[in-house]
Amino acid sequence: MKPLRIPGDPAKAVKNHLAAVLPSKMPAPAPTVGLVLPAGWTTKSVPAVVVFDDSGPVAWPVSTSPTIRVTVWADGRDRSRTIAAVALGLLLAGGVPDIATITEPSGLLEARDSNNAGILTSFTFRAQSRTLPA
């Protein structure tokens, strides 16, 4: 029987990296960074950066290459877009632990969240990461 391998968690790696480097690049109050939108988030809350794994191709048993989506919730377009642009720049600069490569970045996409009136700015990219021994 072959050794068991499991997919890595590039969304968590991106979240951890952004949580470590993004706040120092932002004026106060720095955004939160997580894998879910904080409960009860409103436009009076500090901006929130949320990282999602939208799945993608697999080169089993070597690696996975999911599409990672980063979405910023803020109280205005300029703040949301600035945070997203800085996050994208930081990720494309490289050096994200546990991610081999970041490719196929998208541009910034703006929207409004109908649930909380937040202004959203999102982008996506492929994050290749090695599978891990179980």
Side-chain angles (χ1 to χ4, degrees), residues 40-134:
W41 188 93
T42 72
T43 54
K44 293 186 184 340
S45 305
V46 298
V49 177
V50 183
V51 182
F52 301 93
D53 183 332
D54 290 344
S55 192
V58 173
W60 201 261
V62 179
S63 66
T64 62
S65 297
T67 296
I68 301 297
R69 176 172 33 98
V70 176
T71 301
V72 176
W73 274 259
D75 63 350
R77 177 197 181 271
D78 291 347
R79 181 82 165 132
S80 180
R81 189 173 175 88
T82 297
I83 294 167
V86 171
L88 179 57
L90 289 167
L91 293 169
L92 294 177
V96 180
D98 299 325
I99 294 181
T101 60
I102 290 178
T103 59
E104 302 177 42
S106 73
L108 302 179
L109 175 66
E110 301 167 7
R112 178 180 291 275
D113 186 326
S114 61
N115 293 317
N116 55 37
I119 303 300
L120 310 175
T121 304
S122 297
F123 62 88
T124 63
F125 58 89
R126 290 259 189 220
Q128 184 182 42
S129 66
R130 297 188 71 70
T131 60
L132 306 170

Side-chain angles (χ1 to χ4, degrees), residues 1-5 60-61 133-134:
M1 181 175 180
K2 291 182 182 180
L4 179 61
R5 310 259 329 151
W60 201 261

